[in-house]
Amino acid sequence: MRPETIALHHGYTADGRASTTAVPIYQSAAYEFESADHAAALFNLEVDGYRYSRISNPTNDVLERRVAAMEGGLQALSVSSGQAALHFATLNVTSPGTNIVSVPQLYGTTYTLFAHLLPKMGVTVRFAANDTPAAIHALIDADTRAVYCESVGNPAGNVCDIEALASVAHAQGIPLIVDNTVPTPILSRPIQFGADIVVHSLTKFMGGHGTTMGGIIVDSGKFPWAEHASRFPMFTEPDASYHDLVYTDHFGDAAYIGRCRSVYQRTLGSVLSPLNAFLLLQGIESVAVRMDRHVENARKVAEFLRDDSRVEWINYTGFPDSPYYGLTQKYLGGRACSIMTFGIRGGLTAGAHFYDALSLIKRVVNLGDSKSLACHPASTTHRQMTSAEQLKAGVTPEMIRLSIGIEHIDDILVDLDRALDAAFPARVSSYIGNSHLSRPTAAQVAIE
Ligand code: PLP
């Protein structure tokens, strides 16, 4: 099945008691054992089944199977947020004294985790000068345990060359971990291009309605942990915290996700509630059609902003002059994502007026809602960074990030047009009414 169909059907078969078409919500913390022997067998991982919902749950299982299949992965682990997903995903391959090499264009809290929290656990993250394979390669050493990137960076919008980054990582015997939140598997499937582990904030386009926090880690099942046992002994040596289980022996190709569940999910928690798994499954059912509309609306918004002389610059990878245009063709099938950034003439002050004047488009830090959203990263999501760090992550002071929703395009454009007018009070709202249909020329704006 194709991802569009998998999103609706995969991973759930009615159990016969009631042939529900919707996935049931198993709102239960624990599961009854048939006997002491059955309980022991479950705890020894000798039989399949459920013990306690911090470890697994039937509703969450469907979500895990479904997203794993959409990504072309082997297995997945759902967690309470995207942040928990990338935290577990990186902890699972590291130990004190080791490092991760990352591209610099990252979501702000990912950067905080990498720059401030992981180092406190003895794991350093080396931020490359840019997202090119050469810059990543330059930082890898014998202690590196993973290469990390966002398939499409938030908010920088850069499209990473997954195939090339995977080659660089694999040549050094380490995996490539990719955050695929922004494109979703509908636009891009990193495992197809060599990524080993894919993480998601399901809170965004996957869930799609801005109602539900969730995250997931997908294991491709392809990284040969046993071949690189000296770097990754956690998978190949007996684990004293789990009665000496050897993950590669027990879980085979699914050793990575098996350990992630058995060690991090079991001991650190960050569990996704079954109700949230259900809500995310509802959202995922329509992700393909929503993405079509997101992409189509975003293109029209990008063209509107590009052609508007009140706008100083726009960063949208669907334009042939974008440095990421080629990678957009390769990894996104030419369908540039619906997050874009831009700056209006007049810099920070005009940008603030514009932002305050938005009406339909909501001022929030989220992205990937079905509603259109706007964010000012420098003062919100990336506020914890210094100005230099912000610039490296692709964040400039005046920059506005848009996440274009699925409303009627004309309503989105009218809202942008009015807010742009508000940013230039002297010009009054002479363009409202005919809105985007007749743009002022650069000369007109200069005169005004
Ligand atoms: N990854 C990316 C690319 C994000 O944009 C976000 C949140 O904005 C996260 C991870 C964290 O996800 P969550 O908010 O679900 O914890």
Side-chain angles (χ1 to χ4, degrees), residues 81-83 86 107 110 150 154 179 181 201 203-204 213-214 367:
S81 70
Q83 221 35 53
L86 55 100
Y107 164 59
T110 305
E150 292 178 6
N154 169 22
D179 180 336
T181 298
S201 166
T203 319
K204 317 294 177 196
M213 302 291 300
L367 63 86

Side-chain angles (χ1 to χ4, degrees), residues 82-83 86-87 90 102-103 105-118 125 127 148-150 154 179 181 199 381-382 385:
Q83 221 35 53
L86 55 100
H87 186 200
T90 47
S102 174
V103 301
Q105 301 97 334
L106 295 172
Y107 164 59
T109 311
T110 305
Y111 176 83
T112 307
L113 171 72
F114 285 1
H116 300 286
L117 264 74
L118 288 187
V125 179
F127 298 98
Y148 190 93
C149 73
E150 292 178 6
N154 169 22
D179 180 336
T181 298
V199 294
T381 51
H382 291 65
M385 296 177 163

Side-chain angles (χ1 to χ4, degrees), residues 83-140:
Q83 221 35 53
L86 55 100
H87 186 200
F88 286 4
T90 47
L91 282 185
N92 204 24
V93 289
T94 50
S95 54
T98 62
N99 68 69
I100 291 171
V101 174
S102 174
V103 301
Q105 301 97 334
L106 295 172
Y107 164 59
T109 311
T110 305
Y111 176 83
T112 307
L113 171 72
F114 285 1
H116 300 286
L117 264 74
L118 288 187
K120 290 200 171 75
M121 299 177 221
V123 177
T124 45
V125 179
R126 301 172 170 186
F127 298 98
N130 53 55
D131 58 6
T132 59
I136 294 289
H137 182 254
L139 296 184
I140 297 177

Side-chain angles (χ1 to χ4, degrees), residues 285-298:
E285 288 196 359
S286 63
V287 65
V289 286
R290 280 187 288 104
M291 290 309 278
D292 285 350
R293 179 68 164 251
H294 280 296
V295 165
E296 186 190 319
N297 276 355

